[in-house]
Amino acid sequence: MSIATQTSGSSVGPHGQGSEPSQLQPASPGPWAWIALGMLCAVYVLNFLSRQLPGILAKPIQDSLHISDGQLGRIGGLYFALFYCCISIPVGWFADKTNRSKVLAVACAIWSAATMWCGGAGSYLQFSVAYMAVGFGEAGGVPPSYSIISDYFPSGRRGRALGLYNIGPPIGSALGIAFGASIASAFSWRYAFVLLGSVGLFAAIGVLILVPEPRRGGLDGVSGQVSKTGFGHTLAMFHLG
C-alpha cells in the first residue's frame, strides 16, 4: 500500500470506488501527512531565506561588485518580481498535470543552485541573471505545495495545515537576519549564498523522499481521475456582482 493511500484511510471501497462523502473524511491525517507538511514548511523557509539575503547583505555585495543602490533595488525588486510573477501561473498549470512533488523538488534545486551562483557572481550582470534564476525557481515552490497539502489533509484540517505551512516566510526572514549576517560577518557574503544554496539542494532530495505524490482528490470523495476543466470554462464560473 502506498503512503499516499494510507493518508486517505477508508476513502476507497472494496471495488476501488469512492464511498459516501461522510465516510471519506478520516478523523485525523496520518502521521506521514505531518512529516510531509514539515518538509514542505522547511522548503518554504529556505525559499524566503534565499529571497532575503540580497537585502540583508546589501552593503558587502555593493562593495564587492561595485553596484549602486538603484541597481541592487532593481535586482531584488523588479527583476525578481518579474520572473516570479510571470512563472508562477504556468508552473501551477504544469503541476496540475504532472507529479507535484517532482515539480517542487526541481524548483527547489533550481533556486538553490541559482543561490550558489549568486555567491560566485563577479559582476552586476552575473548577479542579476543569477538572482532572476532564483525567482524563476521560487515561482515553483508555493503552487505545488498548496495542492499537495490539500491532498494530504482532509477539508476539516486544511486550515490548520496551511496556517502551519505559512509560518515559513517569517521563520525564513528571521533566520536570514540571524544566520546570513553572521556567516557574512565571520567569512564573506559569498559563503552565505553558497551555504544556503547547498542546504537547498539537500532539501530538494528530501522532498522526493519525504513528500510522495498523494492521490488527487483522495480526501474529497473523488474517485479515479479528477475531471479536468479548461481555464476559460473556469473563468466563466465566476460571476460578478
Side-chain angles (χ1 to χ4, degrees):
M1 181 180 293
S2 67
I3 293 170
T5 304
Q6 292 177 19
T7 61
S8 59
S10 59
S11 61
V12 179
H15 302 291
Q17 299 298 322
S19 304
E20 292 298 321
S22 60
Q23 298 175 347
L24 286 165
Q25 298 295 338
S28 61
W32 202 272
W34 295 105
I35 294 174
L37 178 62
M39 187 70 240
L40 293 174
C41 187
V43 170
Y44 206 9
V45 169
L46 293 173
N47 184 309
F48 258 75
L49 267 168
S50 300
R51 196 179 308 182
Q52 295 295 317
L53 281 184
I56 296 170
L57 305 178
K59 182 59 177 175
I61 292 173
Q62 288 180 284
D63 292 342
S64 177
L65 300 181
H66 307 290
I67 60 180
S68 66
D69 291 341
Q71 288 175 318
L72 188 63
R74 285 191 293 272
I75 292 173
L78 175 63
Y79 300 159
F80 180 90
L82 183 65
F83 270 74
Y84 189 91
C85 295
C86 292
I87 300 300
S88 292
I89 294 177
V91 166
W93 174 87
F94 186 69
D96 281 341
K97 298 181 179 298
T98 58
N99 187 297
R100 295 162 290 179
S101 295
K102 290 182 179 179
V103 170
L104 176 60
V106 170
C108 183
I110 290 174
W111 87 60
S112 299
T115 300
M116 298 178 71
W117 183 13
C118 287
S123 66
Y124 169 70
L125 178 60
Q126 292 177 8
F127 192 87
S128 299
V129 175
Y131 200 64
M132 285 189 284
V134 172
F136 179 88
E138 289 189 0
V142 175
S145 297
Y146 270 57
S147 180
I148 291 171
I149 291 172
S150 297
D151 283 333
Y152 265 113
F153 289 84
S155 59
R157 297 297 185 94
R158 283 177 196 153
R160 180 184 303 177
L162 292 171
L164 291 172
Y165 172 73
N166 280 293
I167 67 174
I171 293 176
S173 299
L175 291 179
I177 296 173
F179 293 104
S182 298
I183 295 172
S185 176
F187 301 100
S188 166
W189 66 270
R190 297 182 184 276
Y191 281 90
F193 280 91
V194 172
L195 179 60
L196 178 58
S198 62
V199 172
L201 293 178
F202 284 104
I205 298 173
V207 170
L208 295 175
I209 298 173
L210 300 177
V211 190
E213 176 76 359
R215 186 165 69 89
R216 295 180 186 269
L219 300 179
D220 294 311
V222 180
S223 59
Q225 293 292 326
V226 179
S227 60
K228 298 180 180 180
T229 303
F231 186 67
H233 181 73
T234 301
L235 288 179
M237 294 170 62
F238 292 89
H239 300 281
L240 300 178

